[in-house]
Each structure stands twice: as C-alpha cells, then as structure tokens.
Amino acid sequence: MASLSEPVISVTRLSKVYRSGFRMKRIQALTDISLEVERGEIFGFLGPNGAGKTTFIKVLMGLTEPTTGGALVFGRPPRDAAAKARLGFLPESPYFYDHLTAREFLSLATRLSAVPKSEAAGRITGLLRLLRMEIAADVQMRGFSRGMLQRMGIAQALVADPELVVLDEPMGGLDPIGRKEFRDIIVDLRDRGKTVFFSTHILSDVEMICDRVGIVIEGRMAEVGRLSEILTGEVESVEVTVRGVTGKTQKILERVSRHTIKSGDELLLTVKSEEEVEKIMAICREVGGIRVVGIVPHRPTLEDYFMAHVAQAGRKP
C-alpha cells in the first residue's frame, strides 16, 4: 500500500513513439514528460487536440506501454491489479451496451468492479440521483443523448468509490448546466479525499476548480504548477471608459491609448500602465465636461497563458 505522502501518480521522463502507415512512419506522441499528482488534489491536464493527452492517459491506465521512462499509480505499475482496484476511469469515447437500461448497465459495472452485492443497489441509486438520471434509470441507453451517455460514463467511473478518478475529456457532450453539475461533483470528490486527474481543452472549467495544472504542447510538458504560480496576477492592461468626448479631445486621448473603441457617446481606451490612466484622467479634468465612467484592469487568464504557449510552439522550426 502506498504511503499517504507518496504521490498518487508519478511519471518520470516518459516518452512514447508510435509507428504508423505503410512505411511505419515514426510519430513522437510524448517526449520526456515528468509529473507527480498528489493525494486529494484536482489536477487539470491541458492541451490542444493532438497534443498527446489521451496517449498519456492510456499509459497511466496500462492500455499502452511507454517507449522510454515509466509511470506509477499508487506506487505500482499501471497494469498492477491492486492499483487498478483503487481507480475509476472514463475514456474519451466510451463504449456502451446500448440495449441495457441505465440501471442494468450500472449493475454490470458493480459486478465488474467487485462491489459487494449488499451495497450495489444503494450505490446505483445514489449515482443515478447524483447525476440526475433517475428519470431514465429503466430506459434503454440506445435512446440516450450524448450528454446522457457521458453521465453514464461518469457514473461507471465512480461506481467502485475509487480513490483516484481519471477522466479523459469528461465535459464533452455536456451542456452548460451539465458542466456546472459535473464541476460540483469533482469538487465534492476532492472534499471527500479523492484525487481527480482529468484532461480537457475547456479552460474556464479548469480555472474554476483545479488545484494544479499541466500544459502539454506537441507531446512535451510546457508548464506544471498551481494557477496562482502560473498566473501571476499582474495587470497587463487597463480599460478606461469615458463619456462626453468631442472630436478634438478624442484625438488627444487616442494618442495616449494603445487601442480605442467608440460606441455612442462613450469612448473605450485601452492603456498599458497606471501612468497612462493618470494622463487620461488629467486630460478629462483639464477639458471639462468629460466623465470617467469605468476603469477596469485586465490580468492574464489561463486562456491567454495557454494560447501564448500554443503560439510559441507554432513558431518553432
């Protein structure tokens, strides 16, 4: 059994090479990735499509072997039965026996996961209620929408009450309400001492709930850390909205601003520093008749940071 201080997931210098096509072309899916995920945290694994997220998760699940390097789950190799017994997994494109009802499918999942028979019925009812699927409990899954199927996939990942939950693009197919409910489920899992590792490209969800994130670009780990460490919080620009500007004064203000937008009798000015804000305030006081109606500082978001990494990777030869 892994100690409480030991990482739940530990990956060291992991690389994965595929051979594809008639000529067996070499494809480098992952390159020299090292990563640790601690007990009881929500870890968001980010990257654009084709970055290697699913390949990485397949290695963690023991579905494919790394070319070099290694991964441990609860201090054991990913294919170790004792490690697998402690985790739940939702793949990106799960397969369902669609002739089964939701209740029958979860009953099968409890048997495959060795859930005690005395606990199975209660576990199934609780999950159907948690995921708001009670009304469809006895309906065949062939009639389910993509979002409903995604909920069933999440349910089977939780059916054995795992210590670690690994989810590959879990928000796919969920509407905004479903995503909100799913975020609440993830936070509740953490509050109950579980560890959650999930891949996604929906950055707003990550910013709301993740303790730490890893950003993978073209198979390489570009950044790992807490959002508070990655996003420094420094103001990168300030939007100043003024009202009652005449044509002559507008030209004066535009010379101070980096960017301007005119809408009706309001002028939106974007500046880079506090000194430039002061200049705009001074001009407005001097001219008179102009009101400053808004000053909004803008700090880099996770999306800004992520897109900068993607753009930088695209510029590399």
Side-chain angles (χ1 to χ4, degrees):
M1 168 109 27
S3 69
L4 292 177
S5 60
E6 186 175 23
V8 174
I9 295 171
S10 179
V11 177
T12 306
R13 306 205 66 177
L14 187 148
S15 295
K16 178 64 180 178
V17 175
Y18 285 110
R19 297 284 179 176
S20 178
F22 178 74
R23 296 181 179 275
M24 298 298 287
K25 181 181 178 181
R26 186 177 188 273
I27 298 174
Q28 186 84 34
L30 300 170
T31 303
D32 201 29
I33 290 183
S34 295
L35 172 68
E36 289 187 348
V37 177
E38 303 297 332
R39 187 178 300 271
E41 73 173 341
I42 301 172
F43 191 96
F45 194 53
L46 314 180
N49 290 336
K53 302 188 300 297
T54 295
T55 298
F56 182 85
I57 288 177
K58 284 181 177 179
V59 172
L60 286 185
M61 295 298 99
L63 299 174
T64 188
E65 289 283 346
T67 304
T68 60
L72 297 174
V73 180
F74 296 109
R76 297 173 177 269
R79 292 185 176 178
D80 185 277
K84 285 186 175 294
R86 300 167 66 185
L87 65 86
F89 173 46
L90 171 64
E92 181 179 14
S93 301
Y95 175 81
F96 300 95
Y97 296 105
D98 61 7
H99 63 281
L100 298 178
T101 67
R103 194 185 306 277
E104 290 169 342
F105 171 71
L106 291 181
S107 177
L108 173 62
T110 61
R111 295 198 296 273
L112 293 174
S113 302
V115 174
K117 194 172 182 179
S118 59
E119 300 177 17
R123 191 80 57 87
I124 291 167
T125 299
L127 285 169
L128 290 169
R129 183 184 306 116
L130 175 68
L131 294 165
R132 298 180 66 178
M133 291 292 292
E134 291 172 289
I135 194 171
D138 299 305
V139 177
Q140 285 187 323
M141 292 193 297
R142 65 177 46 147
F144 284 7
S145 67
R146 184 180 175 188
M148 294 171 73
L149 289 173
Q150 194 74 349
R151 290 168 188 261
M152 294 310 301
I154 294 165
Q156 65 79 30
L158 301 179
V159 76
D161 193 25
E163 298 173 49
L164 167 65
V165 183
V166 177
L167 309 166
D168 192 0
E169 296 285 358
M171 307 296 188
L174 297 179
D175 59 21
I177 294 174
R179 282 171 47 205
K180 166 65 168 61
E181 292 170 348
F182 183 68
R183 290 196 301 267
D184 291 343
I185 290 169
I186 289 182
V187 172
D188 178 66
L189 289 170
R190 179 186 59 191
D191 292 345
R192 291 195 281 121
K194 313 294 186 182
T195 305
V196 181
F197 179 100
F198 74 97
S199 73
T200 186
H201 60 270
I202 303 176
L203 304 182
S204 59
D205 292 325
V206 171
E207 234 169 336
M208 288 181 193
I209 63 175
C210 285
D211 300 301
R212 289 195 304 137
V213 300
I215 300 175
V216 61
I217 307 289
E218 295 182 347
R220 296 179 180 272
M221 190 66 78
E223 189 70 66
V224 179
R226 294 187 175 277
L227 287 174
S228 59
E229 298 166 347
I230 292 175
L231 305 177
T232 61
E234 296 179 359
V235 175
E236 63 175 14
S237 66
V238 182
E239 289 183 351
V240 182
T241 304
V242 296
R243 184 177 295 162
V245 179
T246 62
K248 183 178 178 181
T249 307
Q250 179 175 333
K251 290 182 179 180
I252 297 172
L253 291 171
E254 286 176 346
R255 286 198 289 269
V256 179
S257 173
R258 300 293 196 273
H259 180 66
T260 61
I261 299 176
K262 189 76 163 65
S263 176
D265 65 343
E266 290 188 352
L267 183 66
L268 176 66
L269 306 157
T270 302
V271 298
K272 294 289 287 184
S273 67
E274 190 174 318
E275 289 76 15
E276 291 170 330
V277 175
E278 290 296 332
K279 284 182 183 179
I280 290 173
M281 301 285 284
I283 292 169
C284 292
R285 286 193 297 268
E286 182 180 342
V287 173
I290 301 175
R291 286 197 302 132
V292 177
V293 296
I295 299 177
V296 181
H298 283 273
R299 294 173 171 82
T301 65
L302 181 59
E303 181 176 2
D304 296 329
Y305 190 87
F306 178 80
M307 293 307 296
H309 270 289
V310 172
Q312 184 178 9
R315 288 194 295 268
K316 290 180 180 178

XYZ file of all heavy atoms in Angstrom, residues 95-175:
623
model
N -17.557 3.068 -24.736
C -18.494 2.212 -25.466
C -19.535 1.687 -24.485
O -19.205 1.304 -23.352
C -17.761 1.030 -26.106
C -18.705 0.046 -26.767
C -19.202 0.298 -28.042
C -19.111 -1.105 -26.104
C -20.087 -0.578 -28.640
C -19.999 -1.988 -26.700
C -20.480 -1.722 -27.968
O -21.360 -2.584 -28.562
N -20.787 1.679 -24.897
C -21.868 1.218 -24.034
C -22.658 0.104 -24.725
O -22.847 0.139 -25.943
C -22.827 2.372 -23.717
C -22.183 3.526 -23.012
C -21.726 4.623 -23.726
C -22.024 3.518 -21.635
C -21.124 5.688 -23.080
C -21.420 4.576 -20.984
C -20.969 5.664 -21.708
N -23.107 -0.862 -23.933
C -24.057 -1.854 -24.430
C -25.423 -1.176 -24.439
O -26.133 -1.164 -23.423
C -24.050 -3.091 -23.537
C -22.729 -3.826 -23.536
C -21.859 -3.739 -22.452
C -22.359 -4.608 -24.621
C -20.651 -4.417 -22.455
C -21.148 -5.279 -24.640
C -20.295 -5.176 -23.552
O -19.096 -5.829 -23.561
N -25.798 -0.614 -25.585
C -26.953 0.280 -25.588
C -28.294 -0.424 -25.490
O -29.332 0.230 -25.398
C -26.908 1.213 -26.800
C -26.944 0.472 -28.141
O -27.145 -0.767 -28.131
O -26.774 1.129 -29.181
N -28.284 -1.771 -25.502
C -29.547 -2.471 -25.282
C -29.871 -2.553 -23.793
O -30.991 -2.932 -23.413
C -29.480 -3.887 -25.871
C -28.449 -4.761 -25.235
N -27.107 -4.665 -25.552
C -28.550 -5.735 -24.289
C -26.427 -5.546 -24.831
N -27.277 -6.203 -24.065
N -28.900 -2.209 -22.941
C -29.126 -2.215 -21.491
C -29.767 -0.905 -21.051
O -29.566 0.144 -21.662
C -27.807 -2.396 -20.737
C -27.041 -3.698 -20.968
C -25.744 -3.681 -20.192
C -27.889 -4.910 -20.576
N -30.537 -0.962 -19.966
C -31.017 0.267 -19.344
C -29.887 0.854 -18.498
O -28.868 0.190 -18.229
C -32.225 0.002 -18.440
O -31.803 -0.793 -17.315
C -33.331 -0.723 -19.197
N -30.080 2.095 -18.054
C -29.066 2.732 -17.214
C -28.817 1.920 -15.950
O -27.665 1.704 -15.547
C -29.512 4.150 -16.852
N -29.875 1.430 -15.322
C -29.721 0.649 -14.095
C -29.005 -0.675 -14.369
O -28.150 -1.108 -13.589
C -31.099 0.398 -13.464
C -31.019 -0.117 -12.025
C -32.404 -0.459 -11.493
N -33.340 0.636 -11.610
C -33.435 1.635 -10.732
N -32.621 1.666 -9.681
N -34.333 2.587 -10.899
N -29.360 -1.325 -15.476
C -28.707 -2.599 -15.822
C -27.217 -2.389 -16.115
O -26.383 -3.199 -15.721
C -29.398 -3.225 -17.026
C -30.793 -3.759 -16.733
C -31.558 -4.120 -18.000
O -31.169 -3.650 -19.106
O -32.547 -4.873 -17.894
N -26.902 -1.308 -16.802
C -25.501 -1.008 -17.118
C -24.691 -0.797 -15.842
O -23.582 -1.340 -15.695
C -25.429 0.228 -18.003
C -24.037 0.745 -18.198
C -23.116 0.047 -18.976
C -23.631 1.932 -17.599
C -21.819 0.523 -19.147
C -22.346 2.416 -17.768
C -21.431 1.706 -18.542
N -25.235 -0.037 -14.891
C -24.502 0.199 -13.644
C -24.442 -1.065 -12.794
O -23.470 -1.285 -12.061
C -25.150 1.343 -12.869
C -24.989 2.730 -13.508
C -25.655 3.798 -12.646
C -23.523 3.070 -13.724
N -25.460 -1.916 -12.892
C -25.416 -3.201 -12.184
C -24.266 -4.057 -12.718
O -23.521 -4.683 -11.948
C -26.747 -3.935 -12.348
O -26.706 -5.204 -11.724
N -24.097 -4.055 -14.053
C -22.969 -4.770 -14.655
C -21.645 -4.161 -14.182
O -20.699 -4.887 -13.854
C -23.069 -4.691 -16.178
C -21.881 -5.249 -16.978
C -21.701 -6.747 -16.708
C -22.081 -4.988 -18.475
N -21.592 -2.829 -14.105
C -20.365 -2.160 -13.666
C -20.016 -2.513 -12.224
O -18.837 -2.681 -11.891
C -20.510 -0.647 -13.821
N -21.019 -2.658 -11.373
C -20.732 -3.030 -9.976
C -20.150 -4.430 -9.900
O -19.240 -4.700 -9.107
C -21.997 -2.943 -9.101
O -22.993 -3.850 -9.586
C -22.544 -1.541 -9.051
N -20.661 -5.340 -10.738
C -20.143 -6.710 -10.722
C -18.715 -6.761 -11.250
O -17.849 -7.441 -10.690
C -21.048 -7.641 -11.536
C -22.444 -7.795 -10.939
C -23.166 -9.021 -11.472
N -23.424 -8.949 -12.907
C -24.496 -8.369 -13.438
N -25.381 -7.768 -12.657
N -24.673 -8.371 -14.743
N -18.445 -6.023 -12.328
C -17.094 -5.997 -12.888
C -16.106 -5.336 -11.935
O -14.904 -5.647 -11.964
C -17.098 -5.257 -14.227
C -17.856 -5.939 -15.370
C -17.912 -5.023 -16.594
C -17.195 -7.269 -15.744
N -16.611 -4.424 -11.101
C -15.744 -3.702 -10.167
C -15.705 -4.348 -8.787
O -15.128 -3.778 -7.859
C -16.226 -2.248 -10.028
O -16.248 -1.596 -11.280
N -16.336 -5.515 -8.657
C -16.326 -6.280 -7.397
C -16.948 -5.497 -6.241
O -16.514 -5.602 -5.092
C -14.909 -6.719 -7.047
N -17.969 -4.684 -6.530
C -18.701 -4.015 -5.461
C -19.526 -5.073 -4.728
O -20.202 -5.880 -5.369
C -19.636 -2.926 -6.040
C -20.504 -2.320 -4.948
C -18.818 -1.842 -6.739
N -19.472 -5.122 -3.390
C -20.257 -6.123 -2.654
C -21.734 -6.074 -3.042
O -22.304 -4.994 -3.200
C -20.049 -5.708 -1.181
C -18.730 -5.007 -1.170
C -18.655 -4.290 -2.493
N -22.311 -7.256 -3.216
C -23.694 -7.347 -3.675
C -24.645 -6.593 -2.753
O -25.625 -5.984 -3.198
C -24.104 -8.813 -3.777
C -25.394 -9.033 -4.547
C -25.627 -10.527 -4.784
C -26.895 -10.749 -5.609
N -27.133 -12.189 -5.860
N -24.350 -6.593 -1.452
C -25.217 -5.922 -0.479
C -25.206 -4.402 -0.646
O -26.125 -3.718 -0.190
C -24.776 -6.277 0.945
O -23.420 -5.886 1.165
N -24.160 -3.874 -1.292
C -24.033 -2.425 -1.456
C -24.429 -1.954 -2.855
O -24.609 -0.747 -3.081
C -22.585 -1.983 -1.189
C -22.081 -2.297 0.210
C -20.622 -1.900 0.372
O -20.117 -1.117 -0.460
O -19.983 -2.375 1.332
N -24.529 -2.872 -3.795
C -24.673 -2.494 -5.204
C -25.920 -1.668 -5.475
O -25.851 -0.614 -6.122
C -24.671 -3.748 -6.074
N -27.082 -2.104 -4.995
C -28.333 -1.400 -5.298
C -28.305 0.029 -4.780
O -28.697 0.972 -5.478
C -29.517 -2.163 -4.713
N -27.818 0.207 -3.547
C -27.737 1.543 -2.972
C -26.751 2.427 -3.717
O -26.996 3.630 -3.914
N -25.627 1.824 -4.143
C -24.619 2.567 -4.889
C -25.203 3.057 -6.229
O -24.996 4.201 -6.630
C -23.407 1.666 -5.119
C -22.163 2.341 -5.638
C -21.389 3.043 -4.532
N -20.998 2.173 -3.446
C -19.876 1.437 -3.412
N -19.058 1.447 -4.454
N -19.580 0.713 -2.355
N -25.943 2.172 -6.902
C -26.537 2.522 -8.202
C -27.565 3.636 -8.039
O -27.563 4.628 -8.790
C -27.178 1.281 -8.843
C -26.092 0.284 -9.258
C -28.034 1.672 -10.046
C -26.632 -1.088 -9.607
N -28.445 3.509 -7.056
C -29.468 4.528 -6.826
C -28.827 5.883 -6.514
O -29.268 6.924 -7.015
C -30.395 4.104 -5.673
O -31.051 2.872 -6.023
C -31.440 5.168 -5.388
N -27.774 5.872 -5.703
C -27.094 7.107 -5.337
C -26.454 7.793 -6.530
O -26.527 9.020 -6.670
N -25.854 7.006 -7.422
C -25.208 7.583 -8.603
C -26.244 8.129 -9.590
O -26.038 9.187 -10.184
C -24.330 6.535 -9.285
C -23.014 6.220 -8.578
C -22.355 4.994 -9.180
C -22.066 7.411 -8.640
N -27.340 7.406 -9.773
C -28.401 7.896 -10.658
C -28.965 9.222 -10.136
O -29.249 10.139 -10.912
C -29.508 6.867 -10.780
C -29.152 5.586 -11.556
C -30.240 4.542 -11.387
C -28.935 5.899 -13.038
N -29.080 9.332 -8.817
C -29.573 10.575 -8.230
C -28.532 11.681 -8.374
O -28.856 12.815 -8.742
C -29.881 10.354 -6.749
C -30.487 11.597 -6.058
C -30.695 11.366 -4.574
N -31.482 10.178 -4.324
C -31.018 9.101 -3.675
N -29.774 9.078 -3.225
N -31.799 8.061 -3.483
N -27.277 11.359 -8.109
C -26.196 12.343 -8.198
C -26.100 12.953 -9.589
O -25.907 14.165 -9.747
C -24.859 11.677 -7.842
C -23.594 12.524 -7.982
C -23.577 13.644 -6.943
C -22.350 11.653 -7.852
N -26.278 12.116 -10.615
C -26.127 12.560 -11.992
C -27.462 12.905 -12.648
O -27.536 13.072 -13.862
C -25.396 11.487 -12.798
C -23.951 11.295 -12.341
C -23.371 10.000 -12.882
C -23.094 12.464 -12.765
N -28.503 12.988 -11.839
C -29.839 13.383 -12.316
C -30.299 12.494 -13.475
O -30.820 12.971 -14.480
C -29.831 14.856 -12.712
C -29.499 15.775 -11.542
C -29.483 17.237 -11.942
N -30.817 17.691 -12.337
C -31.094 18.944 -12.690
N -30.132 19.836 -12.714
N -32.306 19.290 -13.030
N -30.122 11.199 -13.292
C -30.522 10.228 -14.305
C -31.620 9.302 -13.793
O -31.926 8.285 -14.424
C -29.310 9.402 -14.745
C -28.272 10.170 -15.538
S -28.877 10.656 -17.172
C -28.996 9.059 -17.973
N -32.224 9.645 -12.660
C -33.243 8.765 -12.077
C -34.416 8.549 -13.029
O -34.948 7.440 -13.131
C -33.758 9.373 -10.761
C -32.742 9.362 -9.640
C -33.233 10.152 -8.434
O -33.299 11.390 -8.528
O -33.548 9.527 -7.410
N -34.805 9.609 -13.741
C -35.979 9.513 -14.618
C -35.726 8.560 -15.784
O -36.664 8.008 -16.365
C -36.372 10.913 -15.131
C -37.768 10.869 -15.743
C -35.359 11.452 -16.127
C -38.324 12.243 -16.077
N -34.444 8.350 -16.114
C -34.095 7.465 -17.238
C -33.485 6.149 -16.757
O -32.909 5.406 -17.558
C -33.118 8.173 -18.175
N -33.651 5.832 -15.488
C -32.990 4.661 -14.909
C -33.359 3.364 -15.617
O -32.519 2.470 -15.771
C -33.333 4.554 -13.422
N -34.592 3.242 -16.080
C -35.052 1.996 -16.681
C -35.347 2.140 -18.176
O -36.163 1.408 -18.737
C -36.286 1.489 -15.927
C -35.961 1.202 -14.461
O -35.020 0.425 -14.207
O -36.606 1.797 -13.580
N -34.629 3.090 -18.795
C -34.736 3.318 -20.236
C -33.481 2.770 -20.912
O -32.363 2.930 -20.410
C -34.865 4.829 -20.540
C -34.891 5.079 -22.046
C -36.117 5.401 -19.869
N -33.661 2.077 -22.055
C -32.502 1.568 -22.783
C -31.609 2.724 -23.245
O -32.074 3.751 -23.713
C -32.947 0.752 -23.996
C -33.486 -0.626 -23.655
C -33.752 -1.435 -24.908
O -34.191 -0.906 -25.923
N -33.490 -2.729 -24.842
N -30.298 2.531 -23.139
C -29.359 3.609 -23.422
C -29.261 3.941 -24.907
O -28.691 4.972 -25.267
C -27.975 3.262 -22.856
C -27.942 3.245 -21.335
S -26.262 3.216 -20.676
C -25.685 1.653 -21.307
N -29.813 3.115 -25.778
C -29.757 3.423 -27.214
C -30.527 4.693 -27.542
O -30.301 5.312 -28.583
C -30.308 2.249 -28.030
C -31.775 1.942 -27.823
C -32.235 0.800 -28.733
N -31.295 -0.300 -28.703
C -31.626 -1.584 -28.829
N -32.900 -1.909 -28.993
N -30.718 -2.522 -28.822
N -31.417 5.120 -26.658
C -32.164 6.344 -26.876
C -31.570 7.554 -26.176
O -32.157 8.638 -26.217
N -30.399 7.400 -25.563
C -29.802 8.494 -24.799
C -29.092 9.494 -25.709
O -28.501 9.120 -26.733
C -28.786 7.952 -23.787
C -29.398 7.321 -22.564
C -30.761 7.120 -22.467
C -28.589 6.924 -21.503
C -31.319 6.528 -21.343
C -29.132 6.346 -20.376
C -30.508 6.144 -20.294
N -29.111 10.757 -25.302
C -28.314 11.781 -25.970
C -26.845 11.594 -25.589
O -26.512 10.828 -24.672
C -28.774 13.171 -25.544
O -28.471 13.387 -24.166
N -25.961 12.326 -26.294
C -24.533 12.230 -25.971
C -24.260 12.667 -24.536
O -23.451 12.070 -23.829
C -23.726 13.091 -26.938
C -22.226 12.966 -26.714
C -21.432 13.818 -27.680
N -20.014 13.756 -27.365
C -19.094 14.516 -27.934
N -19.445 15.392 -28.865
N -17.829 14.416 -27.590
N -24.947 13.725 -24.101
C -24.757 14.189 -22.733
C -25.194 13.157 -21.707
O -24.534 12.966 -20.673
N -26.301 12.459 -21.967
C -26.776 11.413 -21.055
C -25.790 10.256 -21.010
O -25.505 9.699 -19.929
C -28.157 10.935 -21.484
C -29.245 11.989 -21.351
S -30.812 11.485 -22.113
C -31.389 10.240 -20.956
N -25.236 9.890 -22.167
C -24.241 8.814 -22.194
C -22.986 9.217 -21.423
O -22.367 8.387 -20.744
C -23.884 8.467 -23.642
C -24.972 7.752 -24.445
C -24.548 7.613 -25.903
C -25.266 6.372 -23.848
N -22.608 10.499 -21.519
C -21.445 10.967 -20.782
C -21.677 10.857 -19.277
O -20.774 10.490 -18.519
C -21.118 12.411 -21.168
C -19.745 12.887 -20.730
C -18.631 12.277 -21.581
O -18.854 11.352 -22.355
N -17.429 12.785 -21.418
N -22.888 11.137 -18.841
C -23.230 10.989 -17.424
C -23.110 9.525 -16.988
O -22.643 9.227 -15.884
C -24.646 11.498 -17.160
C -24.789 13.007 -17.262
C -26.262 13.404 -17.277
N -26.427 14.815 -17.551
C -26.631 15.750 -16.628
N -26.693 15.395 -15.360
N -26.766 17.011 -16.962
N -23.529 8.615 -17.864
C -23.405 7.197 -17.521
C -21.943 6.771 -17.453
O -21.555 5.941 -16.634
C -24.162 6.354 -18.556
C -25.670 6.560 -18.556
S -26.409 6.419 -16.909
C -25.918 4.744 -16.474
N -21.139 7.354 -18.340
C -19.711 7.065 -18.275
C -19.102 7.532 -16.973
O -18.261 6.841 -16.368
N -19.506 8.709 -16.524
C -19.027 9.226 -15.240
C -19.501 8.325 -14.103
O -18.751 8.013 -13.174
C -19.521 10.674 -15.040
C -18.878 11.595 -16.082
C -19.204 11.166 -13.628
C -19.547 12.948 -16.203
N -20.753 7.876 -14.183
C -21.304 7.008 -13.137
C -20.504 5.718 -13.008
O -20.169 5.280 -11.898
C -22.776 6.704 -13.433
N -20.158 5.081 -14.147
C -19.412 3.824 -14.048
C -18.003 4.065 -13.511
O -17.419 3.194 -12.871
C -19.382 3.092 -15.397
C -18.636 3.781 -16.532
C -17.143 3.629 -16.470
O -16.634 2.624 -15.961
N -16.428 4.641 -16.956
N -17.448 5.267 -13.748
C -16.119 5.575 -13.213
C -16.147 5.712 -11.693
O -15.130 5.490 -11.029
C -15.581 6.866 -13.844
N -17.313 6.068 -11.147
C -17.432 6.291 -9.701
C -18.037 5.107 -8.954
O -18.105 5.122 -7.728
C -18.299 7.533 -9.446
C -17.808 8.861 -10.049
C -18.800 9.972 -9.731
C -16.427 9.217 -9.533
N -18.450 4.078 -9.682
C -19.282 3.037 -9.081
C -18.558 2.266 -7.971
O -19.191 1.795 -7.022
C -19.808 2.071 -10.181
C -18.728 1.115 -10.657
C -21.035 1.317 -9.703
N -17.251 2.146 -8.040
C -16.499 1.397 -7.014
C -15.955 2.304 -5.915
O -15.130 1.874 -5.115
C -15.355 0.625 -7.667
N -16.412 3.560 -5.873
C -15.945 4.536 -4.894
C -14.414 4.610 -4.893
O -13.764 4.406 -3.863
C -16.453 4.172 -3.496
C -16.265 5.310 -2.498
O -16.196 6.473 -2.924
O -16.146 5.010 -1.294
N -13.802 4.920 -6.051
C -12.347 4.858 -6.178
C -11.636 5.995 -5.444
O -12.211 7.056 -5.201
C -12.132 4.976 -7.688
C -13.294 5.792 -8.156
C -14.451 5.365 -7.298
N -10.354 5.761 -5.135
C -9.521 6.796 -4.514
C -9.014 7.784 -5.562
O -8.783 8.955 -5.268
C -8.328 6.152 -3.808
C -8.695 5.223 -2.671
C -7.480 4.496 -2.145
O -6.458 5.167 -1.871
O -7.533 3.254 -2.034
N -8.792 7.299 -6.779
C -8.318 8.121 -7.883
C -9.316 8.004 -9.030
O -9.710 6.900 -9.404
C -6.936 7.648 -8.347
C -6.424 8.185 -9.691
C -6.208 9.695 -9.629
C -5.127 7.465 -10.090
N -9.709 9.152 -9.585
C -10.615 9.171 -10.732
C -9.879 9.843 -11.886
O -9.428 10.983 -11.767
C -11.916 9.932 -10.422
C -12.866 9.864 -11.612
C -12.585 9.369 -9.174
N -9.753 9.118 -13.013
C -9.068 9.626 -14.202
C -10.113 9.793 -15.299
O -10.799 8.837 -15.666
C -7.950 8.668 -14.658
C -7.301 9.184 -15.946
C -6.904 8.514 -13.557
N -10.223 11.005 -15.832
C -11.283 11.343 -16.779
C -10.664 11.989 -18.016
O -9.953 12.988 -17.911
C -12.271 12.319 -16.131
C -12.831 11.903 -14.754
C -13.504 13.077 -14.075
C -13.805 10.747 -14.893
N -10.946 11.416 -19.172
C -10.410 11.934 -20.434
C -11.501 12.749 -21.135
O -12.485 12.192 -21.614
C -9.945 10.770 -21.320
C -9.109 11.233 -22.503
O -8.888 12.453 -22.644
O -8.679 10.370 -23.297
N -11.335 14.062 -21.174
C -12.301 14.988 -21.778
C -13.726 14.736 -21.241
O -14.668 14.493 -22.011
C -12.287 14.865 -23.307
C -10.971 15.260 -23.953
C -10.748 16.774 -23.994
O -11.639 17.525 -23.556
O -9.672 17.184 -24.460
N -13.920 14.835 -19.935
C -15.229 14.480 -19.362
C -16.341 15.466 -19.656
O -17.511 15.135 -19.511
C -14.941 14.433 -17.854
C -13.812 15.398 -17.675
C -12.956 15.239 -18.901
N -15.988 16.707 -20.047
C -17.027 17.712 -20.273
C -17.657 17.600 -21.667
O -18.623 18.291 -21.973
C -16.451 19.125 -20.121
C -15.717 19.368 -18.817
S -16.779 19.254 -17.371
C -15.647 19.840 -16.111
N -17.108 16.746 -22.522
C -17.627 16.605 -23.874
C -19.074 16.150 -23.874
O -19.441 15.198 -23.182
N -19.916 16.850 -24.629
C -21.317 16.469 -24.741
C -22.208 17.020 -23.656
O -23.425 16.812 -23.701
N -21.639 17.718 -22.681
C -22.457 18.273 -21.612
C -22.827 19.717 -21.920
O -21.991 20.498 -22.379
C -21.703 18.207 -20.276
C -21.343 16.805 -19.759
C -20.584 16.920 -18.451
C -22.587 15.954 -19.570
N -24.074 20.072 -21.636
C -24.488 21.468 -21.799
C -23.971 22.273 -20.606
O -23.406 21.707 -19.668
C -26.011 21.557 -21.935
C -26.757 20.990 -20.735
O -26.151 20.898 -19.633
O -27.930 20.634 -20.876
